[in-house]
Amino acid sequence: MSTTITSSSPTITLSNGVHMPKLAIGTAPLSGSTDESPPSNPNYIGFFPERVTRSVHLALQAGIRHIDTALLYRCQGNIAHVLRQCFMEGRLSREEVFITSKVYHPPAPCFGIESTTIDPNALSVDEITAKVHVHFEKSLIELGVGYVDLMLLHWPSAGGGIANNGSDTNNSDGNNDYYTNNNDNMVEIDPNNRAKRLAAWNVLEHYYKMGWARSIGVSNFHEVHIQHLLDDGATIVPHVNQLETSVYIQHTNIMNYCQQKGIVVSAYSPFGRGIMDIEKDAILF
């Protein structure tokens, strides 16, 4: 006989009133180098979607109610399998699970395949719009749900995003799409990435208004990326900006900006992704 899964997961309220559980289970186990490859396949570099089924199952059993995933990770079908079982047995209802997914990630060597990524440099604005529509709906189909609780733009451009060294300065948005760190003196050399980001964002706004996403946001966005969206006609301020943040990586300027705009900052890889050997840091442990 099935047992109902209980949870006391604390939540944070987004600017639109949606309650988002603060703790999520990540679903991107990966081998970033051959040092992390399995013994049976020592040359493998990429994601391990097969590991997600059990990790999500255990997370839900432990009371975690927030699942963070992305089209890029190739594991949304595995998540659907676990949720389908829980829903079928009455252990959970759809309303008890918060699902975050992401679309609009540029090609990523070894990690991304054509059907899960979007190359802004190779597509026009109209083509970006069409592709994000396809990827959004593909995510819903793979997850086996009618809506997601949060959909994010995964990356701002083909080479951009916040710096990985903990600094908010000297960022490059790829393809010469350069900006300064001074919000009063934003310098844009390549407006194409800016227009394509807006096109992608407009798709998220479309599905948000349809109720196919209860909230929408961005990931790896510098404050200037967000400000450009707002300056260029976005009608909805992103509800969330998800950043890689840990004791080694801090983004004070971005966090201050988001706080001023009412945007919740969500941290991914707060324990250092497992590839920084954070557990070996003598100062921390």
Side-chain angles (χ1 to χ4, degrees):
M1 184 174 180
S2 299
T3 303
T4 301
I5 304 173
T6 60
S7 173
S8 58
S9 180
T11 62
I12 187 169
T13 304
L14 306 182
S15 61
N16 64 346
V18 169
H19 298 288
M20 181 179 76
K22 292 182 178 180
L23 182 64
I25 174 67
T27 58
L30 60 86
S31 169
S33 70
T34 53
D35 292 338
E36 301 166 325
S37 302
S40 60
N41 190 3
N43 295 320
Y44 181 74
I45 297 176
F47 292 107
F48 295 102
E50 62 273 20
R51 297 180 182 178
V52 170
T53 305
R54 179 164 173 78
S55 65
V56 170
H57 169 74
L58 293 175
L60 292 174
Q61 278 194 327
I64 293 175
R65 290 294 174 270
H66 186 169
I67 302 171
D68 182 279
T69 189
L71 183 62
L72 181 75
Y73 305 157
R74 296 188 286 118
C75 67
Q76 296 186 137
N78 303 65
I79 295 168
H81 174 79
V82 177
L83 292 177
R84 189 180 302 118
Q85 196 73 20
C86 289
F87 297 160
M88 181 180 67
E89 296 176 357
R91 290 181 288 135
L92 283 174
S93 67
R94 171 64 185 90
E95 290 71 25
E96 293 177 287
V97 182
F98 193 101
I99 302 173
T100 294
S101 191
K102 313 174 196 74
V103 294
Y104 198 63
H105 195 291
C110 302
F111 300 135
I113 56 179
E114 186 176 355
S115 63
T116 64
T117 61
I118 295 176
D119 186 356
N121 292 338
L123 301 175
S124 67
V125 169
D126 288 343
E127 289 170 330
I128 291 287
T129 298
K131 193 96 175 205
V132 176
H133 272 290
V134 170
H135 282 190
F136 191 110
E137 295 183 13
K138 181 178 180 179
S139 292
L140 293 181
I141 293 169
E142 288 185 356
L143 288 165
V145 295
Y147 64 91
V148 290
D149 299 279
L150 174 63
M151 181 64 81
L152 306 176
L153 295 184
H154 205 157
W155 209 263
S157 70
I162 57 175
N164 286 330
N165 60 4
S167 171
D168 291 341
T169 60
N170 300 321
N171 285 280
S172 174
D173 192 17
N175 197 26
N176 296 320
D177 186 11
Y178 173 78
Y179 50 84
T180 71
N181 193 49
N182 185 339
N183 290 329
D184 297 325
N185 186 31
M186 296 179 186
V187 178
E188 186 82 31
I189 293 177
D190 184 357
N192 291 322
N193 285 333
R194 182 169 174 172
K196 292 170 183 177
R197 276 192 292 272
L198 180 63
W201 180 253
N202 285 340
V203 175
L204 265 60
E205 287 198 359
H206 168 77
Y207 287 110
Y208 175 72
K209 292 171 182 176
M210 288 177 59
W212 289 23
R214 295 177 64 222
S215 50
I216 54 178
V218 295
S219 181
N220 301 298
F221 272 48
H222 189 280
E223 63 262 31
V224 74
H225 295 134
I226 300 173
Q227 190 59 50
H228 281 165
L229 288 179
L230 302 180
D231 291 344
D232 294 345
T235 62
I236 300 169
V237 177
H239 301 118
V240 171
N241 186 13
Q242 188 179 106
L243 310 171
E244 181 178 357
T245 306
S246 69
V247 293
Y248 295 125
I249 301 175
Q250 303 291 309
H251 301 288
T252 305
N253 291 342
I254 302 175
M255 293 180 68
N256 288 341
Y257 172 88
C258 289
Q259 186 175 30
Q260 293 168 8
K261 294 293 184 181
I263 301 169
V264 169
V265 175
S266 173
Y268 70 82
S269 300
F271 298 119
R273 287 187 291 170
I275 64 175
M276 296 181 182
D277 292 327
I278 189 173
E279 73 278 2
K280 299 178 183 178
D281 192 314
I283 296 176
L284 299 175
F285 294 92

